[in-house]
Amino acid sequence: MVRIRTACATLALVGAMVGVAAVPAGAQSTASATTCPTGWGSLAKTGADATVAPLTNVRTGRHTCFDRMVVDVPGAGTGVGYRVQYVDRLYQDGSGRQIAVAGGAVIEVRVTAPAYDPETGAATYPGRVARPLPGVDLTGYRTFRDTRFAGSFEGETQLGLGVRARLPFRVQQLDDRVVVDVAHSWNATG
């Protein structure tokens, strides 16, 4: 009985080794490669709309091919304008104060929505000038390195996004939000 069990175990082990050897080298990594979008570029991107609906939240997310920042403006529909561009340094509107943003490159995100209620002046977003964005934790991100709130001045909110290097990005204007995606690399795989 012991010999039969030993023989069965040996056959099972040999069968498993033959099955692994039958898979060509590199087949597993090729199957998991992801084709990523290309052609975004790194030049400034703009959307001309504007809204008086106030910005209420900024959140981030990690994806296979890019890191994402979402600026929420409830009630704005698709009327949220923006200007997103690489800058050498981030300067606060109104004061001209330089705001340090960590990373190999800095993206300035301007959203044409206030971070306050236009009727009362009460803050609708808890950001503090020159401080990291509240509730945003970039631990484990491949591209994002830092975020900073630069302020809200004359109905426009200004944010700083520190990234690993000058990489391609895209901006999408969706219902009640502006989405900024920054690619992990210039090539087309994740």
Side-chain angles (χ1 to χ4, degrees), residues 86-88 101-107 145 161-167:
Y86 280 100
V87 294
D88 293 330
V101 183
V106 177
I107 297 176
R145 296 294 183 258
L161 177 60
V163 295
R164 181 173 43 81
R166 187 178 178 124
L167 293 162

Side-chain angles (χ1 to χ4, degrees), residues 53-131:
L55 177 153
T56 60
N57 191 33
V58 179
R59 52 197 163 93
T60 59
R62 295 179 293 167
H63 295 266
T64 302
C65 299
F66 53 85
D67 290 345
R68 171 172 282 178
M69 172 185 273
V70 179
V71 180
D72 293 315
V73 187
T78 57
V80 184
Y82 59 86
R83 179 166 180 83
V84 180
Q85 64 184 348
Y86 280 100
V87 294
D88 293 330
R89 291 177 182 82
L90 181 65
Y91 293 99
Q92 181 186 34
D93 280 348
S95 73
R97 170 185 172 194
Q98 182 179 339
I99 297 174
V101 183
V106 177
I107 297 176
E108 178 182 42
V109 178
R110 292 176 171 271
V111 178
T112 53
Y116 53 85
D117 182 324
E119 292 181 19
T120 66
T124 58
Y125 179 69
R128 293 180 50 211
V129 172
R131 307 284 293 160

